[in-house]
Amino acid sequence: MPSVSRELVEKAVNTIRMLAADAVQQANSGHPGMPMGAADMAFVLWTRHLRFDPAEPRWIGRDRFVLSAGHGSMLLYALLHLSGFDCTLDDLKKFRQHHARTPGHPEFGHLPGVEVTSGPLGQGFANGVGFALGHAMLRGKLGPGSPLEEPYVYAIVSDGDLMEGVAAEAASFAGHNALGRLVYLYDDNEITIDGRTSIAFSGEDVTKRFEGYGWHVQSVDGRDHDGIDRAIQVAKAERAKPSLIRVRTTIGFGSPGKAGKSSAHGAPLGEEELRATKKALGWPEEPRFLVPDDVRAFWRELQAEKKRDADAQRAREKAWRAENGDKAALLDVHVERWAPERLLDRLLDGASGADATRKLSQAVVQKIAPLVPCLVGGSADLAESNLTDIKGGGSFSPGSPSGRNVHFGIREHAMGAIANGLAYDGLHIPFTGTFLQFADYMRPAVRLAALSGLQTIDVWTHDSIFLGEDGPTHQPIEHLTALRAIPNLHVCRPCDGDEVAVSWAHALARRNGPTALILSRQKIAPVRRTVPFDPESALRGGYVVDAPEGARFTLVATGSEVPLAQAALELLAKKGLNGRLVSMPCYECFDAQPASWRDAVVPPALPAAVVEAARGLEWWKLVGRSGLVIGIDRFGASAPDKALAEEYGFTPARVAERLERWLAGAR
Ligand SMILES: Cc1ncc(C[n+]2csc(CCOP(=O)(O)OP(=O)(O)O)c2C)c(N)n1
């Protein structure tokens, strides 16, 4: 950092405080307190440690900075502006306005330098662990001296972050895996929205708790720049443990009336208090959004310094590449998230015979793994059931960091958020695994993956009541409906090996959103394909399996219900009631097709019905008021699957009977 006077440093930190306070005041909403209190630590981190290059914001050798307490977004936007990222003063003035690049909480993709979408507390904490995991894995693959030896992962986390369960899960995972180069600054201001943390967060000693997780913990005063600097240096040297630095701060620092109070947390200071704050800090009342010339000059000089450092680092990267051709090529495979052309052709094998789709998926994963080196992932202690293991891929651990199978432990929420971290960083395609029932435990992370357009893959098995004896606690009912309600999440429920291959290929090709693979525990009878399987049609999400002469209606099914629907149609055909059979492994993909395709597959002129062993609410859009949805509107039961099929009406005879009544005009 350029050597400057204490006064200029104070002025530079106050610039951050006042940009935040002015922006929140102008927007008439937002959170000034956190940026004002955390400005010192952020300043020390960004000026003395963080390696970045605004000209190449995604440069692989950069340090990653995560603002987990996303409500303090103005802290990040002010830093991005001052350090030369493409974030203008005008962007700051439009804070929280429609179409602005500075939304209320940081959103990935809106501004260069925003590494993650944060706001739901705890998520950023776990995302950072995902970054560190990905770097550790790549270091394992690339060996000493690689460009991944250099980056650190930093985050600013808050009381709220540390109270959330997902952070506890992620911290435990990071400690267990000895993820070093992970340095979290805890904005320990003892204030949340409802008041002092003592009203809800007093029973635990955060230091002991994190030490218990295997973290290295330090404490420091939030105004002591040299102390913060030293603590970061110590944390950086701690390679075998993640680090938490408790930084004691005052929320709303500088505000005479609101500092240290929850009233500084989430509302503008107010004109009067803003004036009083500026006076107290020796700051001119006007103009707003002031960046004094000497502060601007300081940041320019700093930028030049950072650029020199980055160039030197890139020169080291180049030298490493020159000496390590194969490894450099492997790194590029990760950077591009490369997969071979026409991957699907290599996954299809046309095998027929009754099998569980989770089993078929297991076989497909083994084919993909050698072809797509950046695919990594695992399960929340259900690998034996989800069948997600990459055979021969090794388990990730501190002793074998190149292992591709991640043991997330029974931490579904963190698994989702850690996978998001891997995906934000863009160097891996991560997959997760658990029972579909427990997708609920991951849902906040999955929603953020969808919002942020992340390429993650969720393998959710045991996809219906037909998992049987484990009973209603484990049997998903409303999950498909709830998941399909998440915009930009593709939910694929394949019925056989061909559709499983198509679903995986789709997930690997899809770079701008998450894909869920919904797989059965039980064996599914083979679908009789009179029309040869066409993968291109299946990739469209819904296609015709059978279209007999004189068909009077269309029956749509997914997954295990496709052969069931086929059997029911055969019974009806014997009575002269012919129906078309459509398999719809991915409703979102189908819905995105042109009307010509949709109408050809589900002709508007014919009545349509759907059979799916789930809640089914979303299907009414497809079948309309005169249609029929054969689903389940109560919880399941603990029993063998055959008994449940009888009880819940999912036998060929019962489905045929329902269809016949419907065709006759009854419900
Ligand atoms: C999962 C989640 N729950 C609730 C909120 C709403 N919320 C935003 S900030 C906040 C309090 C945060 O307190 P703290 O983390 O200490 O931040 P500070 O008061 O220091 O700004 C809450 C409850 C949220 N953003 N995310």
Side-chain angles (χ1 to χ4, degrees):
M1 172 177 112
S3 75
V4 282
S5 66
R6 276 187 70 84
E7 289 70 35
L8 182 56
V9 166
E10 192 64 15
K11 208 170 170 184
V13 176
N14 281 338
T15 306
I16 298 170
R17 291 193 176 103
M18 291 302 97
L19 284 174
D22 279 344
V24 171
Q25 191 64 40
Q26 174 145 319
N28 201 22
S29 77
H31 303 78
M34 185 272 180
M36 292 169 75
D40 287 291
M41 69 169 102
F43 179 82
V44 173
L45 175 63
W46 278 60
T47 56
R48 302 197 201 182
H49 294 277
L50 195 76
R51 282 171 304 179
F52 57 84
D53 182 0
E56 263 192 74
R58 298 281 292 171
W59 159 51
I60 191 176
R62 74 193 184 281
D63 291 334
R64 276 57 165 176
F65 174 74
V66 172
L67 181 70
S68 188
H71 60 275
S73 54
M74 262 313 301
L75 176 67
L76 177 56
Y77 300 151
L79 290 163
L80 291 174
H81 170 68
L82 293 167
S83 54
F85 282 82
D86 178 18
C87 174
T88 64
L89 215 46
D90 202 43
D91 287 320
L92 302 188
K93 289 178 182 167
K94 290 191 181 133
F95 178 51
R96 291 182 157 240
Q97 304 311 302
H98 196 30
H99 297 313
R101 302 197 302 160
T102 44
H105 296 82
E107 290 178 43
F108 183 65
H110 282 226
L111 273 180
V114 173
E115 299 274 6
V116 309
T117 300
S118 59
L121 291 162
Q123 295 292 329
F125 186 114
N127 296 155
V129 172
F131 281 77
L133 170 66
H135 294 181
M137 287 177 136
L138 265 177
R139 284 197 294 273
K141 273 190 179 177
L142 301 176
S146 85
L148 269 303
E149 290 284 333
E150 310 228 19
Y152 285 85
V153 180
Y154 296 102
I156 293 184
V157 305
S158 65
D159 295 312
D161 283 309
L162 296 198
M163 285 191 228
E164 289 291 352
V166 65
E169 294 177 16
S172 166
F173 176 91
H176 170 78
N177 285 298
L179 292 178
R181 310 184 74 91
L182 185 68
V183 179
Y184 282 9
L185 301 172
Y186 164 30
D187 180 29
D188 185 5
N189 63 22
E190 297 187 338
I191 292 290
T192 64
I193 294 178
D194 282 356
R196 300 200 64 77
T197 48
S198 55
I199 63 173
F201 192 46
S202 69
E204 67 198 51
D205 179 328
V206 169
T207 300
K208 283 195 188 141
R209 180 181 144 204
F210 274 76
E211 282 173 352
Y213 288 141
W215 286 53
H216 178 260
V217 185
Q218 305 172 75
S219 296
V220 62
D221 182 89
R223 293 278 292 142
D224 175 4
H225 285 209
D226 289 338
I228 295 169
D229 179 36
R230 273 195 304 276
I232 296 175
Q233 282 180 36
V234 170
K236 281 164 81 172
E238 186 58 68
R239 294 295 173 83
K241 279 182 177 182
S243 260
L244 184 76
I245 304 174
R246 295 184 72 156
V247 189
R248 276 293 291 124
T249 61
T250 304
I251 192 167
F253 180 89
S255 159
K258 296 195 171 176
K261 297 185 182 152
S262 57
S263 54
H265 165 87
L269 294 179
E271 289 295 346
E272 202 178 312
E273 187 60 22
L274 184 58
R275 266 195 300 279
T277 305
K278 288 187 173 176
K279 193 159 177 229
L281 293 176
W283 202 254
E285 246 177 59
E286 294 293 337
R288 306 246 164 152
F289 297 95
L290 172 67
V291 181
D293 290 343
D294 46 359
V295 171
R296 187 69 83 192
F298 162 81
W299 280 99
R300 282 222 182 87
E301 211 181 313
L302 183 81
Q303 272 170 46
E305 198 177 277
K306 298 272 181 192
K307 172 101 179 78
R308 281 195 298 277
D309 289 350
D311 285 344
Q313 195 175 324
R314 275 190 286 254
R316 292 195 290 279
E317 191 179 315
K318 211 168 155 198
W320 176 83
R321 282 180 170 276
E323 283 168 23
N324 297 275
D326 288 354
K327 286 181 175 162
L330 181 60
L331 175 57
D332 289 339
V333 159
H334 280 77
V335 171
E336 291 162 25
R337 278 181 277 151
W338 182 86
E341 298 262 314
R342 306 208 55 83
L343 174 67
L344 177 54
D345 294 348
R346 298 161 80 166
L347 306 182
L348 290 166
D349 62 10
S352 57
D355 222 334
T357 46
R358 63 178 171 140
K359 198 89 197 293
L360 295 162
S361 166
Q362 179 186 37
V364 171
V365 168
Q366 309 319 315
K367 288 185 197 169
I368 295 169
L371 300 172
V372 185
C374 70
L375 182 77
V376 295
S379 149
D381 199 48
L382 286 170
E384 295 271 303
S385 300
N386 306 140
L387 304 177
T388 42
D389 264 354
I390 295 175
K391 290 179 185 160
S395 290
F396 172 82
S397 74
S400 68
S402 59
R404 296 173 72 179
N405 295 295
V406 182
H407 298 289
F408 286 104
I410 307 144
R411 305 183 183 101
E412 293 83 3
H413 196 174
M415 172 169 68
I418 291 170
N420 287 356
L422 287 163
Y424 280 122
D425 212 17
L427 302 173
H428 292 92
I429 301 176
F431 66 88
T432 70
T434 187
F435 290 157
L436 176 56
Q437 167 64 33
F438 304 131
D440 279 351
Y441 275 45
M442 301 176 63
R443 190 175 173 90
V446 174
R447 181 176 193 275
L448 280 170
L451 171 66
S452 306
L454 301 182
Q455 185 174 19
T456 55
I457 302 172
D458 298 306
V459 178
W460 287 325
T461 69
H462 297 57
D463 70 344
S464 72
I465 57 168
F466 299 124
L467 66 86
E469 294 83 347
D470 270 345
T473 55
H474 284 49
Q475 292 166 349
I477 298 291
E478 75 282 15
H479 299 71
L480 287 173
T481 296
L483 290 166
R484 289 182 182 129
I486 299 179
N488 198 36
L489 173 64
H490 285 189
V491 179
C492 299
R493 187 167 187 249
C495 69
D496 64 7
D498 287 333
E499 286 192 4
V500 166
V502 164
S503 302
W504 266 105
H506 174 64
L508 290 166
R510 184 169 189 245
R511 292 184 157 238
N512 58 358
T515 304
L517 307 180
I518 310 293
L519 306 172
S520 72
R521 171 190 186 230
Q522 79 282 13
K523 285 187 176 173
I524 300 180
V527 177
R528 276 179 304 284
R529 296 191 179 280
T530 43
V531 183
F533 179 72
D534 171 24
E536 295 303 323
S537 299
L539 279 167
R540 288 170 177 261
Y543 64 98
V544 177
V545 175
D546 196 12
E549 288 279 309
R552 286 181 45 189
F553 65 100
T554 302
L555 180 59
V556 177
T558 76
S560 50
E561 283 68 72
V562 178
L564 169 69
Q566 194 162 46
L569 287 175
E570 276 165 14
L571 292 179
L572 288 176
K574 286 185 189 142
K575 296 183 170 182
L577 286 173
N578 282 343
R580 298 154 50 82
L581 177 61
V582 166
S583 176
M584 198 163 290
C586 178
Y587 181 60
E588 298 76 23
C589 300
F590 179 74
D591 207 34
Q593 295 304 312
S596 55
W597 180 267
R598 284 182 280 129
D599 290 353
V601 173
V602 185
L606 291 183
V610 172
V611 55
E612 183 174 68
R615 193 74 178 86
L617 300 180
E618 65 280 25
W619 292 115
W620 289 103
K621 180 180 167 194
L622 184 72
V623 302
R625 286 183 62 168
S626 57
L628 176 70
V629 177
I630 302 175
I632 301 176
D633 59 5
R634 59 193 164 117
F635 290 114
S638 170
D641 60 347
K642 295 213 168 30
L644 292 171
E646 280 295 339
E647 163 84 15
Y648 286 79
F650 285 83
T651 61
R654 296 283 300 282
V655 171
E657 192 188 310
R658 289 280 302 274
L659 289 166
E660 196 174 355
R661 270 193 282 134
W662 165 65
L663 288 166
R667 278 280 153 157

